[in-house]
Amino acid sequence: MNAAYAGTGIIAALALMFGLWLYYHKNMAKVQILLFWLAGIGIGGLVGVLINRAFDVASNATSLATRLLGFGGAIILAGLAVLLTVEVVVKGMLPKTAKPNRAHPWLALVAPTIGLASGVPFLAGLYNLIATGMGNAGAVAQQWFVG
């Protein structure tokens, strides 16, 4: 197993654990959303790739109806990815404009998965960049604690 993947998983698990603890105690709403978002980025890589492959299979099918369904699904998924990311970042985390509610952490957990699956270049690049940073930080932490 690659150390960066293990590091991303470690950071995602810790972020989800602390985020759930804050969510349960109803403390620090913006930090909850950030932690759920980081956990979603760590988890979303694997799940997003699986969803993306499912759409590739549907869009490469032989019948015209299946191709149209795959193409339409991909467009809907891309629009949903952009909408969820904007909702989470602008309405949930930005300091002056944010008015987070109890659903924002869960949207933040799902948004990276949909963003990676959608194939929107900006979102996929953003989430991959953050995941790489998480992986490197987790690998360093793993070296500190495990040796």
Side-chain angles (χ1 to χ4, degrees):
M1 177 185 277
N2 189 350
Y5 291 133
T8 304
I10 290 168
I11 299 292
L14 288 173
L16 185 60
M17 184 177 64
F18 287 124
L20 285 170
W21 187 79
L22 290 173
Y23 184 83
Y24 176 74
H25 291 290
K26 298 179 183 173
N27 291 333
M28 304 169 67
K30 292 178 185 178
V31 175
Q32 288 175 26
I33 295 168
L34 178 65
L35 290 172
F36 273 67
W37 196 50
L38 289 175
I41 290 171
I43 297 167
L46 176 62
V47 177
V49 166
L50 294 175
I51 293 172
N52 194 9
R53 288 192 184 167
F55 274 110
D56 284 346
V57 168
S59 65
N60 289 334
T62 55
S63 82
L64 179 62
T66 309
R67 285 185 185 175
L68 290 175
L69 285 173
F71 180 71
I75 289 177
I76 291 170
L77 190 63
L80 184 62
V82 171
L83 182 69
L84 277 176
T85 302
V86 168
E87 173 72 22
V88 166
V89 173
V90 174
K91 287 191 153 186
M93 287 192 295
L94 283 180
K96 295 189 182 196
T97 61
K99 302 239 190 271
N101 60 30
R102 297 293 280 170
H104 276 107
W106 301 107
L107 291 175
L109 188 63
V110 180
T113 302
I114 296 173
L116 288 167
S118 69
V120 176
F122 172 73
L123 291 178
L126 172 69
Y127 291 137
N128 283 328
L129 179 69
I130 295 170
T132 302
M134 286 173 52
N136 292 337
V140 168
Q142 184 179 9
Q143 287 297 322
W144 282 352
F145 294 115
V146 178

